[in-house]
Amino acid sequence: MSFFKKIFNKEKKETLDKGLEKTKSSFFDKLNKAVAGKSKVDDDVLDNLEEVLVSSDVGVTTTLKIIDRIEARVAQDKYVGTSELNAILREEIAGLLSEIDSGNESQFTIPKHETGPHVIMVVGVNGVGKTTTIGKLAHQFSKAGHKVVLGAADTFRAAAIDQLQVWADRTGVPIVKQEMGSDPASVAFDTLESGVNQNADVIIIDTAGRLHNKINLMNELTKVKRVMQKVIPDAPHDVLLVLDGSTGQNAFEQAKQFTAATEVTSLAVTKLDGTAKGGVVIGISDQFQIPVKYIGVGEGIEDLQVFNKFEFVDSFFK
């Protein structure tokens, strides 16, 4: 099928294959048990498949969509053998993901804006890999020839500021920061002014990752946005929510909380290499209809990849 004609370079594809190995092994172990002793895809097999998908963190809503699609195929073809189930699953999951607009899947590109640099505001709870994702993004954008400026607007944790400084030093990217406890909006304002003055191509703003009070979170993010717009009227251009793929269903809950608190425009799903819960990418993509832009498939600085849904499915079913 045309779904699988878009290919990464060999090295990145191998990293993706390796990063999804635990998810793939777990999923197919469950799938093989689900169809053991069966030659035909019948109601029992579909019930078992539903359980496999849900337990693989694809999510109930998305699982039911996939099952409905396979039921329709079975009804149309009259007889579908269990030996064909792998190929059918692959096609239907790829079809589901292909219905979601994920923008440019080929490289780390920066849209041009008449008003100034491209501004990315990064949100997510503490511990999901937010700062690491920002550092890896800074590296990838710099490698692609873009001038990057970082803003340490997570001022509630000294560790967050220090961690971002480490990544700024590692990637050779300038950082704007203030003392712990400073006003996050003030840091964001200073970062955008600095980025404009330096003729930056992209500005990445870190934000605090507290979820204990959704109203406070909403107010804080709204204030940061409002203050940024005093410098660049249409900022931020992208609100990137970072989710820890290894938390499975908890990642769904975090996505619900943040999409309720602010307008999230893209997602990054991290730590997929250390978990068997990679199916969460499929469910989150489908359920929230927000494009997954990046996935983390390893600890190396190059192991944050632009998410390509065709390659993801290819690696998942390889």
Side-chain angles (χ1 to χ4, degrees):
M1 289 181 65
S2 61
F3 291 137
F4 307 108
K5 289 181 179 177
K6 298 185 178 182
I7 302 297
F8 276 155
N9 68 48
K10 184 181 177 183
E11 185 179 341
K12 283 191 174 180
K13 186 62 167 65
E14 287 174 351
T15 302
L16 181 61
D17 290 346
K18 184 179 177 182
L20 293 179
E21 188 61 44
K22 288 185 180 179
T23 293
K24 185 176 68 174
S25 296
S26 173
F27 179 79
F28 284 105
D29 282 348
K30 293 174 183 175
L31 185 61
N32 289 336
K33 290 174 184 175
V35 301
K38 296 277 189 178
S39 61
K40 180 182 177 183
V41 176
D42 55 18
D43 288 344
D44 285 344
V45 168
L46 289 172
D47 287 344
N48 291 340
L49 176 60
E50 184 176 323
E51 188 176 325
V52 168
L53 290 167
V54 171
S55 67
S56 299
D57 290 281
V58 172
V60 174
T61 303
T62 304
T63 291
L64 293 176
K65 281 189 186 179
I66 294 169
I67 295 297
D68 284 347
R69 287 170 178 238
I70 293 174
E71 280 183 328
R73 290 275 291 267
V74 171
Q76 179 181 335
D77 298 340
K78 302 304 178 188
Y79 180 91
V80 175
T82 52
S83 59
E84 301 166 66
L85 188 56
N86 187 353
I88 292 172
L89 258 177
R90 174 184 171 128
E91 290 173 10
E92 294 305 335
I93 289 173
L96 198 67
L97 291 176
S98 73
E99 295 167 7
I100 303 158
D101 177 21
S102 56
N104 189 307
E105 294 179 322
S106 61
Q107 56 192 322
F108 287 87
T109 55
I110 296 295
K112 297 293 184 183
H113 307 284
E114 292 182 3
T115 51
H118 182 67
V119 180
I120 304 171
M121 183 168 80
V122 183
V123 300
V125 301
N126 297 332
V128 296
K130 187 158 51 80
T131 308
T132 299
T133 297
I134 292 170
K136 290 179 179 180
L137 275 177
H139 167 73
Q140 295 281 14
F141 286 137
S142 296
K143 195 172 75 165
H146 303 298
K147 186 167 186 178
V148 184
V149 174
L150 301 180
D154 182 354
T155 59
F156 291 90
R157 293 188 308 128
I161 300 171
D162 293 343
Q163 287 165 6
L164 201 62
Q165 180 68 64
V166 168
W167 276 105
D169 294 341
R170 186 177 179 185
T171 56
V173 166
I175 182 174
V176 176
K177 62 182 182 177
Q178 295 180 14
E179 296 298 316
M180 178 184 168
S182 302
D183 180 10
S186 172
V187 178
F189 182 89
D190 288 351
T191 305
L192 265 63
E193 275 204 327
S194 177
V196 169
N197 291 336
Q198 295 181 59
N199 292 316
D201 298 303
V202 58
I203 298 169
I204 309 175
I205 304 288
D206 191 13
T207 62
R210 299 162 304 143
L211 256 186
H212 63 273
N213 187 319
K214 193 165 66 180
I215 298 299
N216 285 350
L217 176 69
M218 186 184 300
N219 291 341
E220 182 180 300
L221 294 178
T222 299
K223 180 184 176 185
V224 170
K225 283 184 181 180
R226 188 172 64 246
V227 170
M228 284 197 289
Q229 287 166 0
K230 292 180 180 179
V231 184
I232 299 176
D234 51 352
H237 305 101
D238 186 11
V239 179
L240 176 67
L241 171 60
V242 181
L243 299 169
D244 179 351
S246 71
T247 62
Q249 291 306 298
N250 194 34
F252 277 89
E253 189 56 38
Q254 288 173 22
K256 285 180 187 176
Q257 293 286 327
F258 272 97
T259 52
T262 190
E263 184 185 359
V264 175
T265 55
S266 64
L267 302 171
V269 184
T270 66
K271 307 182 186 181
L272 292 175
D273 56 306
T275 181
K277 298 177 182 288
V280 73
V281 175
I282 299 166
I284 284 176
S285 299
D286 172 59
Q287 190 167 326
F288 293 95
Q289 293 292 303
I290 297 171
V292 175
K293 273 194 179 177
Y294 311 106
I295 54 174
V297 290
E299 295 182 2
I301 197 168
E302 301 283 348
D303 292 339
L304 182 75
Q305 296 190 357
V306 171
F307 176 63
N308 181 306
K309 54 206 171 194
F310 307 102
E311 290 297 339
F312 181 86
V313 173
D314 186 66
S315 292
F316 192 87
F317 284 93
K318 190 171 181 180

